[in-house]
Amino acid sequence: MGADREVVGACPLDCPDTCSWVVTVRDGEAIALRGDRSHPYTRGALCAKVTGLLEYRRSPDRLLHPQRRVGAKGEGRFARITWDEALDEIAACFQDVIARHGPQAIWPYYGSGGMGMIQGVAGCGRRLWNVLGASQHAMTICTIAGGYCTGYTLGDNRVGMDPETFGSSKLIVLWGTNTLTTNHHLWKYVEAARRDGAYLVAIDPIRTRTAERADEHVALIPGTDAALALGLLHVVVSLGREDREFIDAHTTGWETFRQRILEYPPERVSAITGIPRERIVALGRRLAQTRPTGIRVTMGMQRHAGGGMAVRTITCIPGVTGDWRYPGGGAVYDTRGFFRGNWKALWRDDLRPPGTRTLSMTRLGESLLEVDDPRVMALLVYSSNPVASAPDQNKVRRGLARPDLFTIVVDHFQTDTADYADLLLPATMQPEHADLLYAYGHIYVAWNEPAVAPPGECLPNTEIFRRLAHRLGVTEPCVYDSDEAMARQVLDSDAPAMAGITLERLQREGWARLSVPDPFVPFADGFPSPSGKLEFVSPRMAELGLDPVPTYTPPYEAAQQDTELAARYPLALIAPASHYFLNSMFSNVPALEQRQGPPTVVLHPDDAAARGLRAGDLARIYNDRGEFSATVSVSDRVRPGVAAGAKGFWPKRVPGGASINATVAERDSDMGGGAVFHDNRVEVVRAIST
């Protein structure tokens, strides 16, 4: 028996925290996984989902070999084949599609199953798709609306205050974020600030486990966050507590924005948000008087028709109060923009033919059934399970069932999406391949060293695409670069924040903080916008026909009152993240399924009584788009008129074979084509026994 070996790596999952970890290896087998205690931000803690990752990778139902469909699409019947057979078949299909329909009839469809720069969404496969001229894939499912608006406001789509400075905040606002479930490493900074006297506010339609721990919970009507932000600023301005020195030196368009703020007095905002006027005034006074105030916003809040404008309006609050000048002040939505890697070298977008079209991942059903110039004839899905995660589940299924569509799915397990595949390919997991990672919730970079050999015939995504390129006869050399070569290329940047960060250092130390000051107060003296200032009025938005001034853009459905739609579907349904699933990952782990429990719909006692529903009843939740089944939970954790479910369930593993996204519209938010998962009206009735 050899000596144990410890291999430093990092979690690739769709979470702000990007935890550094250590895998203990004995005789070639991973025997233990723990958080890396030396990491300043994640400090050795792993979440409830990832602690069992080693057992997850050894699951008996893990995909280990390439397979070909032998039944009808959707049945999920496959037979084992060789890698040579699989790659030859894909190459023949792609060549035929290109010859008959052009390369844009091929759609590489990927999601946030892996966030890495080498194996995941941040870069994997992009070079090959550019060389082929395949349709571009737009990642619209998660962050995009809020990202666009932070760009219009601050000048970069993915920057904000450094989360590590929340320990210095005196007022912390967790806005639309269940920190203890989806961003739990931030909590230690929140607790440190509270020990020093900080006041914690949670703004959320649901009394989440985070809201229960807050000093104050503000339960507003879903999708009305921008109105609340304007109402709070109305109180600040009425008290004369705007920071005129900061406004004059570091912002543009203040007088125009001030007039917009004055259009939203607390009385009007109360009618829009459902929050009593006196509570709006009290929180506005607290905001006016407390420096520094730090605001954490995450992605769930912006998944509605006015989501981008909502994040923009909230991001403007520290511009009015001057909080951007202080450690512990400001707002943060995403931190990835501080990583100034050499993306041009990694992506090689210069190889893409001009005019190549873009297809939106949240319009999958529409793109497969209705787009015809050219029609999508080949779909390659990796790091994604769109039958479970994309809007309008029934439409997605109809698209994937097209007999003339050739679908390849690369995954770890046979998901609902995999059931529709013509070919099913086994991918490696994080302990089995190399990757380079940054985070959207802190400012550290990490290297993931492969700890163990892959099981069966599993291959890294990068290797699958290198082999496919060879079968296709691709001659562009960069398509065949090794994983380490690509990592070196993206790290080869002359940006000051990247100084001293090399692959060799990361391989030696595991992680590195970006080369920025400590404490990091990025916008105390200016912003990366065209004007160098925070733009209350955005000329770029005006050029696009958008309102250049922050405002309240109502959701399509969620905030409707006294309308025909609200009469038919009187409940606004929102789908927060599960504590035990990560999007649709881990939903097939029996222990986590048991801890999560079956799909539930949480109703306020008044709404449950009006429908004759009791806790434990099986309910049918429906609208014109579709329906799903869930067990009723009755609780005042939701306000009247709101129903809450949980995303992430695999449809084939729950009663009725459908999940919450069967009811979600395939629509775009106000900016970037983002999804509208929380902009959804339904009715809930008792399920009829059969």
mmCIF file of all heavy atoms in Angstrom, residues 365-392:
data_model
loop_
_atom_site.group_PDB
_atom_site.id
_atom_site.type_symbol
_atom_site.label_atom_id
_atom_site.label_comp_id
_atom_site.label_asym_id
_atom_site.label_seq_id
_atom_site.Cartn_x
_atom_site.Cartn_y
_atom_site.Cartn_z
ATOM 1 N N GLY A 365 -36.987 25.054 -27.287
ATOM 2 C CA GLY A 365 -38.152 24.505 -27.961
ATOM 3 C C GLY A 365 -38.470 25.262 -29.232
ATOM 4 O O GLY A 365 -38.681 24.667 -30.302
ATOM 5 N N GLU A 366 -38.505 26.571 -29.145
ATOM 6 C CA GLU A 366 -38.777 27.405 -30.314
ATOM 7 C C GLU A 366 -37.733 27.178 -31.398
ATOM 8 O O GLU A 366 -38.069 27.044 -32.589
ATOM 9 C CB GLU A 366 -38.780 28.865 -29.897
ATOM 10 C CG GLU A 366 -38.929 29.860 -31.035
ATOM 11 C CD GLU A 366 -38.754 31.289 -30.543
ATOM 12 O OE1 GLU A 366 -37.603 31.761 -30.508
ATOM 13 O OE2 GLU A 366 -39.766 31.899 -30.186
ATOM 14 N N SER A 367 -36.454 27.133 -31.018
ATOM 15 C CA SER A 367 -35.385 26.997 -32.006
ATOM 16 C C SER A 367 -35.440 25.658 -32.725
ATOM 17 O O SER A 367 -35.121 25.573 -33.919
ATOM 18 C CB SER A 367 -34.022 27.180 -31.330
ATOM 19 O OG SER A 367 -33.895 28.480 -30.797
ATOM 20 N N LEU A 368 -35.835 24.594 -32.014
ATOM 21 C CA LEU A 368 -35.911 23.283 -32.648
ATOM 22 C C LEU A 368 -37.160 23.126 -33.504
ATOM 23 O O LEU A 368 -37.148 22.377 -34.493
ATOM 24 C CB LEU A 368 -35.873 22.183 -31.587
ATOM 25 C CG LEU A 368 -34.571 22.049 -30.802
ATOM 26 C CD1 LEU A 368 -34.683 20.917 -29.780
ATOM 27 C CD2 LEU A 368 -33.377 21.804 -31.723
ATOM 28 N N LEU A 369 -38.234 23.807 -33.151
ATOM 29 C CA LEU A 369 -39.506 23.600 -33.843
ATOM 30 C C LEU A 369 -39.837 24.677 -34.866
ATOM 31 O O LEU A 369 -40.592 24.419 -35.817
ATOM 32 C CB LEU A 369 -40.645 23.525 -32.817
ATOM 33 C CG LEU A 369 -40.600 22.329 -31.864
ATOM 34 C CD1 LEU A 369 -41.661 22.487 -30.777
ATOM 35 C CD2 LEU A 369 -40.797 21.023 -32.614
ATOM 36 N N GLU A 370 -39.294 25.875 -34.684
ATOM 37 C CA GLU A 370 -39.741 26.993 -35.511
ATOM 38 C C GLU A 370 -38.643 27.664 -36.323
ATOM 39 O O GLU A 370 -38.929 28.239 -37.381
ATOM 40 C CB GLU A 370 -40.441 28.032 -34.619
ATOM 41 C CG GLU A 370 -41.639 27.474 -33.866
ATOM 42 C CD GLU A 370 -42.192 28.440 -32.830
ATOM 43 O OE1 GLU A 370 -41.994 29.660 -33.001
ATOM 44 O OE2 GLU A 370 -42.814 27.975 -31.857
ATOM 45 N N VAL A 371 -37.404 27.642 -35.864
ATOM 46 C CA VAL A 371 -36.320 28.283 -36.611
ATOM 47 C C VAL A 371 -36.048 27.464 -37.868
ATOM 48 O O VAL A 371 -35.898 26.241 -37.811
ATOM 49 C CB VAL A 371 -35.056 28.401 -35.736
ATOM 50 C CG1 VAL A 371 -33.865 28.853 -36.573
ATOM 51 C CG2 VAL A 371 -35.303 29.383 -34.592
ATOM 52 N N ASP A 372 -35.923 28.154 -39.003
ATOM 53 C CA ASP A 372 -35.881 27.421 -40.275
ATOM 54 C C ASP A 372 -34.870 28.011 -41.257
ATOM 55 O O ASP A 372 -35.012 27.836 -42.455
ATOM 56 C CB ASP A 372 -37.290 27.422 -40.896
ATOM 57 C CG ASP A 372 -37.463 26.327 -41.933
ATOM 58 O OD1 ASP A 372 -36.821 25.279 -41.786
ATOM 59 O OD2 ASP A 372 -38.236 26.550 -42.886
ATOM 60 N N ASP A 373 -33.843 28.712 -40.753
ATOM 61 C CA ASP A 373 -32.941 29.378 -41.695
ATOM 62 C C ASP A 373 -31.494 29.329 -41.218
ATOM 63 O O ASP A 373 -30.923 30.357 -40.868
ATOM 64 C CB ASP A 373 -33.391 30.829 -41.893
ATOM 65 C CG ASP A 373 -32.605 31.521 -42.999
ATOM 66 O OD1 ASP A 373 -32.119 30.820 -43.890
ATOM 67 O OD2 ASP A 373 -32.469 32.759 -42.942
ATOM 68 N N PRO A 374 -30.841 28.148 -41.176
ATOM 69 C CA PRO A 374 -31.397 26.829 -41.501
ATOM 70 C C PRO A 374 -32.041 26.184 -40.277
ATOM 71 O O PRO A 374 -31.880 26.656 -39.152
ATOM 72 C CB PRO A 374 -30.159 26.044 -41.920
ATOM 73 C CG PRO A 374 -29.080 26.615 -41.045
ATOM 74 C CD PRO A 374 -29.390 28.084 -40.906
ATOM 75 N N ARG A 375 -32.729 25.102 -40.502
ATOM 76 C CA ARG A 375 -33.302 24.296 -39.438
ATOM 77 C C ARG A 375 -32.172 23.617 -38.669
ATOM 78 O O ARG A 375 -31.180 23.197 -39.259
ATOM 79 C CB ARG A 375 -34.225 23.237 -40.050
ATOM 80 C CG ARG A 375 -35.096 22.453 -39.074
ATOM 81 C CD ARG A 375 -36.126 21.683 -39.895
ATOM 82 N NE ARG A 375 -36.936 20.756 -39.132
ATOM 83 C CZ ARG A 375 -38.023 21.082 -38.447
ATOM 84 N NH1 ARG A 375 -38.398 22.358 -38.408
ATOM 85 N NH2 ARG A 375 -38.736 20.178 -37.803
ATOM 86 N N VAL A 376 -32.308 23.553 -37.335
ATOM 87 C CA VAL A 376 -31.314 22.835 -36.530
ATOM 88 C C VAL A 376 -31.456 21.343 -36.822
ATOM 89 O O VAL A 376 -32.513 20.747 -36.582
ATOM 90 C CB VAL A 376 -31.501 23.113 -35.034
ATOM 91 C CG1 VAL A 376 -30.511 22.273 -34.213
ATOM 92 C CG2 VAL A 376 -31.318 24.598 -34.729
ATOM 93 N N MET A 377 -30.384 20.745 -37.340
ATOM 94 C CA MET A 377 -30.422 19.332 -37.713
ATOM 95 C C MET A 377 -29.547 18.462 -36.823
ATOM 96 O O MET A 377 -29.725 17.235 -36.784
ATOM 97 C CB MET A 377 -29.983 19.167 -39.171
ATOM 98 C CG MET A 377 -30.832 19.941 -40.174
ATOM 99 S SD MET A 377 -32.591 19.542 -40.108
ATOM 100 C CE MET A 377 -32.560 17.818 -40.590
ATOM 101 N N ALA A 378 -28.577 19.075 -36.127
ATOM 102 C CA ALA A 378 -27.706 18.329 -35.215
ATOM 103 C C ALA A 378 -27.541 19.141 -33.937
ATOM 104 O O ALA A 378 -27.206 20.330 -33.987
ATOM 105 C CB ALA A 378 -26.348 18.048 -35.846
ATOM 106 N N LEU A 379 -27.775 18.503 -32.807
ATOM 107 C CA LEU A 379 -27.705 19.149 -31.495
ATOM 108 C C LEU A 379 -26.738 18.359 -30.626
ATOM 109 O O LEU A 379 -26.904 17.151 -30.444
ATOM 110 C CB LEU A 379 -29.092 19.163 -30.856
ATOM 111 C CG LEU A 379 -29.247 19.866 -29.510
ATOM 112 C CD1 LEU A 379 -29.201 21.383 -29.697
ATOM 113 C CD2 LEU A 379 -30.567 19.466 -28.845
ATOM 114 N N LEU A 380 -25.707 19.032 -30.114
ATOM 115 C CA LEU A 380 -24.752 18.389 -29.220
ATOM 116 C C LEU A 380 -24.876 19.048 -27.852
ATOM 117 O O LEU A 380 -24.551 20.226 -27.687
ATOM 118 C CB LEU A 380 -23.325 18.497 -29.753
ATOM 119 C CG LEU A 380 -22.290 17.568 -29.106
ATOM 120 C CD1 LEU A 380 -21.097 17.355 -30.034
ATOM 121 C CD2 LEU A 380 -21.786 18.089 -27.761
ATOM 122 N N VAL A 381 -25.374 18.305 -26.866
ATOM 123 C CA VAL A 381 -25.661 18.838 -25.537
ATOM 124 C C VAL A 381 -24.584 18.376 -24.564
ATOM 125 O O VAL A 381 -24.309 17.178 -24.458
ATOM 126 C CB VAL A 381 -27.041 18.356 -25.045
ATOM 127 C CG1 VAL A 381 -27.336 18.925 -23.662
ATOM 128 C CG2 VAL A 381 -28.142 18.737 -26.029
ATOM 129 N N TYR A 382 -23.981 19.314 -23.856
ATOM 130 C CA TYR A 382 -23.038 18.949 -22.797
ATOM 131 C C TYR A 382 -23.174 19.925 -21.638
ATOM 132 O O TYR A 382 -23.585 21.069 -21.808
ATOM 133 C CB TYR A 382 -21.592 18.868 -23.302
ATOM 134 C CG TYR A 382 -21.025 20.105 -23.955
ATOM 135 C CD1 TYR A 382 -20.125 20.931 -23.285
ATOM 136 C CD2 TYR A 382 -21.338 20.427 -25.271
ATOM 137 C CE1 TYR A 382 -19.570 22.039 -23.900
ATOM 138 C CE2 TYR A 382 -20.783 21.537 -25.897
ATOM 139 C CZ TYR A 382 -19.897 22.342 -25.211
ATOM 140 O OH TYR A 382 -19.344 23.444 -25.818
ATOM 141 N N SER A 383 -22.898 19.432 -20.439
ATOM 142 C CA SER A 383 -23.003 20.222 -19.205
ATOM 143 C C SER A 383 -24.389 20.834 -19.055
ATOM 144 O O SER A 383 -24.541 21.930 -18.514
ATOM 145 C CB SER A 383 -21.935 21.329 -19.171
ATOM 146 O OG SER A 383 -20.646 20.781 -19.157
ATOM 147 N N SER A 384 -25.406 20.136 -19.515
ATOM 148 C CA SER A 384 -26.755 20.694 -19.454
ATOM 149 C C SER A 384 -27.784 19.574 -19.507
ATOM 150 O O SER A 384 -27.550 18.525 -20.123
ATOM 151 C CB SER A 384 -26.981 21.660 -20.623
ATOM 152 O OG SER A 384 -28.226 22.318 -20.508
ATOM 153 N N ASN A 385 -28.935 19.843 -18.884
ATOM 154 C CA ASN A 385 -30.064 18.913 -18.889
ATOM 155 C C ASN A 385 -31.324 19.725 -19.183
ATOM 156 O O ASN A 385 -32.151 19.967 -18.312
ATOM 157 C CB ASN A 385 -30.162 18.213 -17.526
ATOM 158 C CG ASN A 385 -31.313 17.223 -17.444
ATOM 159 O OD1 ASN A 385 -31.929 16.869 -18.446
ATOM 160 N ND2 ASN A 385 -31.616 16.778 -16.231
ATOM 161 N N PRO A 386 -31.475 20.198 -20.434
ATOM 162 C CA PRO A 386 -32.534 21.173 -20.718
ATOM 163 C C PRO A 386 -33.951 20.670 -20.521
ATOM 164 O O PRO A 386 -34.847 21.483 -20.272
ATOM 165 C CB PRO A 386 -32.274 21.560 -22.178
ATOM 166 C CG PRO A 386 -31.453 20.453 -22.742
ATOM 167 C CD PRO A 386 -30.618 19.959 -21.603
ATOM 168 N N VAL A 387 -34.214 19.364 -20.615
ATOM 169 C CA VAL A 387 -35.575 18.900 -20.350
ATOM 170 C C VAL A 387 -35.970 19.244 -18.919
ATOM 171 O O VAL A 387 -37.131 19.568 -18.639
ATOM 172 C CB VAL A 387 -35.712 17.389 -20.611
ATOM 173 C CG1 VAL A 387 -37.070 16.871 -20.141
ATOM 174 C CG2 VAL A 387 -35.543 17.096 -22.098
ATOM 175 N N ALA A 388 -35.017 19.221 -17.995
ATOM 176 C CA ALA A 388 -35.296 19.579 -16.609
ATOM 177 C C ALA A 388 -35.145 21.067 -16.344
ATOM 178 O O ALA A 388 -35.834 21.613 -15.484
ATOM 179 C CB ALA A 388 -34.380 18.799 -15.669
ATOM 180 N N SER A 389 -34.259 21.754 -17.085
ATOM 181 C CA SER A 389 -33.870 23.102 -16.672
ATOM 182 C C SER A 389 -34.339 24.217 -17.592
ATOM 183 O O SER A 389 -34.330 25.384 -17.185
ATOM 184 C CB SER A 389 -32.344 23.185 -16.541
ATOM 185 O OG SER A 389 -31.711 22.883 -17.772
ATOM 186 N N ALA A 390 -34.722 23.936 -18.810
ATOM 187 C CA ALA A 390 -35.121 24.997 -19.735
ATOM 188 C C ALA A 390 -36.608 25.313 -19.593
ATOM 189 O O ALA A 390 -37.396 24.470 -19.158
ATOM 190 C CB ALA A 390 -34.806 24.590 -21.170
ATOM 191 N N PRO A 391 -37.023 26.524 -19.983
ATOM 192 C CA PRO A 391 -38.446 26.872 -19.930
ATOM 193 C C PRO A 391 -39.275 26.054 -20.915
ATOM 194 O O PRO A 391 -38.765 25.537 -21.903
ATOM 195 C CB PRO A 391 -38.461 28.357 -20.328
ATOM 196 C CG PRO A 391 -37.075 28.838 -20.137
ATOM 197 C CD PRO A 391 -36.191 27.667 -20.390
ATOM 198 N N ASP A 392 -40.574 26.007 -20.646
ATOM 199 C CA ASP A 392 -41.568 25.342 -21.494
ATOM 200 C C ASP A 392 -41.150 23.896 -21.782
ATOM 201 O O ASP A 392 -40.885 23.507 -22.913
ATOM 202 C CB ASP A 392 -41.807 26.111 -22.794
ATOM 203 C CG ASP A 392 -43.188 25.817 -23.372
ATOM 204 O OD1 ASP A 392 -43.758 24.752 -23.058
ATOM 205 O OD2 ASP A 392 -43.699 26.640 -24.146
#
